[in-house]
Amino acid sequence: MLNETIGRKKKRTGKSFLNGWVWFIFLLPTLLGIALFTVYPMIESFRLSFTRGAEERYVGFENYQHVLGSDSFHQAIFNTFYIAFFQLLIVIPLGFIIASLIHSLRKGQNFFKILFYIPNITSMVAAATVFLVVLHPQGLLNYVLSAFGFPETIWLANPVSARWSVILLASWHALGFGIIINLANLQAISPDYYEAASIDGASRFKQWLYITIPNMLGSLTILIILGWIDGLQRFTEAFMLGGHTGSPARSLYTLVGFIYERGFGGLEYGVASAASYLLLILILVFTFINIKFFRMKI
Amino acid sequence: MKKKNSTLALTFLLLFSTLLSACGGGNLSSSAATATQPSAKTGDSTAAASPAETAGLTGTLNVQMIGGFTEEDKTDPKTGLKTTGVRVLKEEFEKLYPGAEVNFVLMGWDSYNEKTQTMLQSNAADVYQLPGIATFAEQGLLEPLQSYIDRDKFDLDQYFGGQVEGWKAMGPEDTDLQIYGLPFIGDTRVIVYDKKIFDDWGVPYLSKEPTIEEILEKAEKMTGKNPKTGEQNYGLTFNKSDAADTVMNINESKGGKWGTGFLWKDMELEFNTPTMVEALDLLKKAKEYAPEGVLAGQGAENFLTEKNNVAINLRAAPGFITDIKANGTEDRYDAALLFVNPEEKMGGMFAGSPFSIGKSSTQKELAWEWLKFSSSDFFQQFMWDNYRNESTPVVKASTEWASVKEIPQMSVVLDAMGRLWAPRYPYRSGQPRYILSENVEKALLESTSSQEALDKAQKDAAEWIVSQK
């Protein structure tokens, strides 16, 4: 009797294992893809980061030393952080304000959601091409600014204004995402809180300060963390407006631009790989600090 | 149970067939290997083999080309003209070598060096278009061509002067420059100017070989309100992305040169010589006569059109000929030659593309025939007729073609090609190129003096070179 029970149990376990195992087969192509196109290149890049030249001569940590001591890498770090910081400073508060305005609308919410989200689904290359026209000395931006009495600016010929051009483009592109995330969170806040608060006599401002803001921290945190990760990997906007040297005078030269120029411009795969790993470490450390700072639970 | 097993077996089969079908696309190397064997013929047909076949010139030849080439015909989006695909070259070559089959690997300019490196290492083609030839020769990935040239007594004089020398490079074992590629696409830069603006201002046209001083003097006169139209005119413009090349070219006209050596290990740069500083100061002066957005690559978009307001472009690619034809402004624009070093009689960045043979190619003889074929009138004329925007002829015979003669500016373009600095600046294949560009730009932005900028360029570039030794 006991043997029979054990036999049945074994059979059942074997059957469920087989059932589970069959499903794993369906994951196999994805796992193979990840192994081949993500894991293997990462390992290979790590190996390359300790080599130099086409003959892949082992040089120890020389590439890392070279990258960390390079003026252009320092310039790339400065540019990347500068652009990312100001972009987030614009996108997150503005996204929240616009989301709040859309949320307060009784009609036409979907129209505005679509309107503001369109830039986010536009190809960055196409958007940057249009921005080149907007930022032209005789372009739309200068035309609008001149109406307010501002002098003509050659946006892409001056390092500071060139960086702000990228910030403008990146903010325009990312704003829709910020609005949608904020809006989703706003809609998730129970109206009961506001009802109870208004019965207790809380003003609209106090409701916003004590109910909306605390409930928005989750989405604001995720926007900051994702925004920084995205910002540290910035390339397309800067490349489109400043070319692969980050013109003018390396002001649009980002960390990924450094990797691109060294790897693809000069075939210095060792240096580019070392810089890639340094970027990875930077992103990990920065994300860790962000998570700790905002006490985000993952 | 039986049903379960068969389901499992079917699942496996499905997965494996998916994987195999994903991995199985176009295995060129295996087909090439098969094709290199003499074609299986029977009886009389073997005896009737063509001379080419008996010479072993059969099989598949994989030819890599970079740029806007397509195998099939297409319509040029800019001019609306029909362009014949490179299939015509394939058909002609296969007619000449009946046992041969040409397969093109056509790709764009994006990341072409990396793609070419991968292809060379994996023997993905036999013939390569190699504008970055020095990098690949240095790695021992290319077949030296001198023995083929000597054996066939191949006439190198058919090319414009400097075209073969320009592509010379050094392999890992070489002690001096060798031929690893033969030119098939020519390129150069010329000074292009708008005759109407010169006429409006009453300024004499540029001479055929102007000095930088002549250009600056005339540009200064033509900067301001046009006396006839009243619109704002600018004396000149230049391309911000190759401002460093313009400085180098002005430096050459002052008797300077980029440096010496070819491989990194024995290269000495001359980025901060007095002539380089003078050249950079002159370009800074030139900036005063350019549109405000010149350093952002803006302000001269109408150059070559009817609406143009810039008198001189310091560096224009030969493709301007197509543009003025498309814009109907052929009579309005003319060209002048770039500057040359008075002693060396050459100057300006050498450009274009050569064809080379991969060291590990299994079709070297056939590949060599393709290289020879690329110098033929048929090949060169086809390129000129269909890909004029990216290909200028490299053979002297082209000067006699009616289609070349009917374009007056072409004589300047072809002259310019024969005066380019050869071999091409080797420092441009590494970081010194970007270091020089960055510092020239800083000087042009007035954030540093010319001397300081070039001192920094020299120091940083020299340090980088030391790290490569």
Side-chain angles (χ1 to χ4, degrees):
Chain A
M1 182 71 182
L2 188 71
N3 281 350
E4 223 174 83
T5 315
I6 292 170
R8 269 207 302 274
K9 229 178 185 177
K10 264 188 178 171
K11 237 180 185 179
R12 259 207 309 274
T13 318
K15 202 175 165 187
S16 62
F17 171 77
L18 194 68
N19 280 344
W21 186 71
V22 166
W23 288 108
F24 272 107
I25 296 172
F26 289 94
L27 285 177
L28 203 61
T30 310
L31 292 175
L32 270 176
I34 292 170
L36 276 174
F37 301 114
T38 307
V39 179
Y40 170 70
M42 280 182 76
I43 295 168
E44 182 64 6
S45 179
F46 188 67
R47 185 187 68 79
L48 279 174
S49 72
F50 296 101
T51 67
R52 185 167 290 173
E55 73 279 15
E56 296 179 3
R57 174 169 42 93
Y58 178 75
V59 292
F61 283 93
E62 262 184 38
N63 289 331
Y64 288 91
Q65 281 173 338
H66 172 80
V67 172
L68 289 170
S70 152
D71 284 349
S72 54
F73 188 71
H74 300 157
Q75 174 81 48
I77 289 180
F78 172 76
N79 294 336
T80 308
F81 273 83
Y82 184 99
I83 296 169
F85 177 77
F86 284 106
Q87 185 215 350
L88 291 182
L89 206 63
I90 292 170
V91 166
I92 294 176
L94 196 63
F96 177 54
I97 291 167
I98 297 173
S100 299
L101 289 171
I102 294 174
H103 186 59
S104 65
L105 290 174
R106 282 166 192 265
K107 278 184 179 177
Q109 277 200 14
N110 284 341
F111 170 75
F112 284 104
K113 272 193 253 179
I114 292 167
L115 190 72
F116 281 104
Y117 200 68
I118 283 174
N120 200 247
I121 54 166
T122 309
S123 144
M124 181 52 88
V125 175
T129 309
V130 174
F131 259 71
L132 282 172
V133 181
V134 172
L135 297 166
H136 192 276
Q138 278 88 49
L140 184 69
L141 189 60
N142 272 348
Y143 179 76
V144 172
L145 290 176
S146 68
F148 294 99
F150 287 98
E152 185 183 287
T153 306
I154 315 297
W155 290 92
L156 297 174
N158 175 290
V160 177
S161 57
R163 273 189 218 110
W164 274 96
S165 303
V166 172
I167 292 167
L168 200 69
L169 169 60
S171 302
W172 173 82
H173 198 257
L175 189 63
F177 182 70
I179 292 170
I180 291 293
I181 296 289
N182 277 311
L183 202 56
N185 200 347
L186 280 170
Q187 286 167 346
I189 302 172
S190 168
D192 296 350
Y193 295 158
Y194 295 100
E195 216 176 296
S198 61
I199 290 168
D200 289 345
S203 65
R204 290 287 295 259
F205 176 71
K206 280 194 172 173
Q207 286 178 30
W208 179 78
L209 192 67
Y210 294 112
I211 299 172
T212 311
I213 295 288
N215 277 293
M216 289 303 291
L217 281 180
S219 63
L220 294 178
T221 306
I222 198 82
L223 281 175
I224 289 171
I225 290 170
L226 291 180
W228 269 112
I229 294 173
D230 203 34
L232 291 176
Q233 298 180 69
R234 187 170 314 285
F235 176 64
T236 319
E237 305 94 316
F239 179 80
M240 284 301 295
L241 298 189
H244 60 269
T245 55
S247 188
R250 298 271 197 210
S251 58
L252 302 183
Y253 191 57
T254 61
L255 286 168
V256 179
F258 179 93
I259 295 165
Y260 181 84
E261 186 195 284
R262 290 305 185 91
F264 298 152
L267 299 179
E268 292 178 80
Y269 296 126
V271 171
S273 298
S276 304
Y277 268 90
L278 288 171
L279 175 62
L280 176 71
I281 292 166
L282 192 68
I283 290 174
L284 287 177
V285 170
F286 213 69
T287 307
F288 180 75
I289 293 169
N290 272 333
I291 289 170
K292 286 288 165 198
F293 185 77
F294 293 103
R295 292 177 195 154
M296 191 190 180
K297 287 177 192 152
I298 290 183
Chain B
M1 187 66 197
K2 224 175 181 182
K3 201 176 173 186
K4 285 272 171 197
N5 280 342
S6 52
T7 312
L8 199 65
L10 266 172
T11 312
F12 266 118
L13 198 67
L14 200 70
L15 273 167
F16 272 105
S17 57
T18 310
L19 275 173
L20 285 174
S21 63
C23 301
N27 189 344
L28 287 177
S29 55
S30 62
S31 64
T34 319
T36 49
Q37 303 302 317
S39 42
K41 293 176 185 237
T42 51
D44 292 344
S45 60
T46 309
S50 73
E53 279 175 317
T54 51
L57 299 176
T58 59
T60 306
L61 182 73
N62 294 310
V63 179
Q64 174 252 42
M65 288 174 81
I66 316 166
F69 304 109
T70 54
E71 199 148 352
E72 297 307 319
D73 301 353
K74 64 171 183 179
T75 306
D76 190 307
K78 213 167 178 181
T79 59
L81 296 171
K82 290 269 182 209
T83 303
T84 310
V86 290
R87 63 175 172 78
V88 172
L89 298 175
K90 169 188 164 76
E91 285 160 12
E92 179 68 13
F93 189 77
E94 287 171 0
K95 209 172 3 172
L96 292 170
Y97 302 91
E101 186 194 344
V102 175
N103 273 342
F104 284 114
V105 182
L106 304 176
M107 60 195 212
W109 283 108
D110 53 305
S111 307
Y112 67 93
N113 262 336
E114 300 71 57
K115 291 175 188 168
T116 307
Q117 174 89 34
T118 313
M119 288 180 73
L120 274 161
Q121 283 175 332
S122 58
N123 193 24
D126 304 291
V127 176
Y128 297 85
Q129 179 181 338
L130 283 185
I133 189 168
T135 312
F136 305 111
E138 194 180 345
Q139 297 173 48
L141 293 169
L142 306 181
E143 178 77 357
L145 301 180
Q146 192 60 55
S147 57
Y148 295 84
I149 293 165
D150 294 342
R151 186 195 67 194
D152 290 3
K153 295 186 177 59
F154 183 67
D155 180 19
L156 297 178
D157 273 347
Q158 64 186 306
Y159 296 107
F160 286 118
Q163 282 296 310
V164 175
E165 286 70 24
W167 295 118
K168 279 186 176 176
M170 284 173 77
E173 311 297 329
D174 295 335
T175 51
D176 54 5
L177 290 161
Q178 298 294 329
I179 301 175
Y180 283 93
L182 290 180
F184 85 99
I185 284 181
D187 195 6
T188 185
R189 294 292 179 270
V190 287
I191 300 162
V192 176
Y193 58 96
D194 183 340
K195 292 192 284 186
K196 181 181 174 292
I197 294 183
F198 276 74
D199 291 340
D200 288 350
W201 287 88
V203 173
Y205 297 151
L206 290 181
S207 49
K208 194 185 173 190
E209 292 185 63
T211 60
I212 183 70
E213 286 79 11
E214 178 191 338
I215 290 172
L216 292 182
E217 186 199 326
K218 289 179 176 172
E220 186 182 6
K221 285 180 186 164
M222 293 181 284
T223 303
K225 294 277 176 213
N226 186 303
K228 286 198 176 159
T229 63
E231 69 168 357
Q232 175 66 34
N233 279 177
Y234 298 95
L236 56 81
T237 189
F238 53 89
N239 190 346
K240 65 129 189 182
S241 59
D242 60 10
D245 294 326
T246 305
V247 170
M248 187 59 76
N249 189 221
I250 299 171
N251 166 52
E252 286 160 349
S253 75
K254 300 290 171 191
K257 57 182 178 179
W258 67 267
T260 53
F262 193 80
L263 298 178
W264 296 121
K265 63 182 170 67
D266 44 33
M267 193 181 293
E268 298 287 341
L269 298 170
E270 296 177 17
F271 283 174
N272 61 345
T273 57
T275 51
M276 272 296 276
V277 177
E278 187 188 354
L280 184 48
D281 281 336
L282 285 164
L283 192 64
K284 279 164 90 170
K285 184 81 187 152
K287 201 188 90 178
E288 292 171 19
Y289 313 129
E292 293 82 0
V294 67
L295 292 183
Q298 294 171 324
E301 290 84 356
N302 287 329
F303 195 73
L304 305 179
T305 71
E306 284 288 356
K307 289 189 279 181
N308 174 46
N309 62 345
V310 180
I312 304 163
N313 183 346
L314 284 182
R315 283 176 76 82
F320 85 92
I321 282 169
T322 316
D323 291 333
I324 55 177
K325 189 172 182 197
N327 297 333
T329 51
E330 296 105 313
D331 298 333
R332 184 167 161 171
Y333 294 90
D334 211 341
L337 291 162
L338 284 184
F339 317 117
V340 289
N341 180 305
E343 274 181 35
E344 305 282 348
K345 306 284 179 215
M346 56 184 181
M349 187 192 75
F350 190 89
S353 284
F355 268 138
S356 295
I357 303 173
K359 184 85 177 169
S360 49
S361 163
T362 52
Q363 284 287 21
K364 287 187 181 126
E365 287 302 327
L366 205 51
W368 168 243
E369 295 304 317
W370 178 270
L371 261 63
K372 287 197 288 183
F373 173 59
S374 72
S375 71
S376 66
D377 258 20
F378 180 87
F379 192 110
Q380 288 288 311
Q381 198 140 15
F382 170 83
M383 296 293 287
W384 170 243
D385 290 343
N386 294 283
Y387 296 94
R388 197 168 290 188
N389 230 6
E390 49 196 312
S391 173
T392 305
V394 290
V395 290
K396 288 174 184 164
S398 61
T399 53
E400 298 305 317
W401 300 345
S403 55
V404 167
K405 278 183 173 172
E406 70 185 21
I407 304 170
Q409 296 90 340
M410 268 309 284
S411 66
V412 177
V413 171
L414 296 180
D415 275 359
M417 273 187 29
R419 296 156 41 111
L420 297 171
W421 196 278
R424 74 192 306 230
Y425 309 145
Y427 73 84
R428 286 187 104 266
S429 55
Q431 268 299 299
R433 167 192 180 180
Y434 302 112
I435 292 169
L436 182 62
S437 290
E438 174 192 347
N439 287 288
V440 163
E441 231 175 54
K442 279 182 180 161
L444 291 173
L445 287 165
E446 312 286 350
S447 62
T448 179
S449 72
S450 299
Q451 184 70 61
E452 281 170 355
L454 293 173
D455 283 347
K456 183 156 189 339
Q458 176 72 20
K459 181 179 161 286
D460 290 355
E463 279 174 8
W464 184 86
I465 287 174
V466 168
S467 76
Q468 302 300 302
K469 288 176 183 176

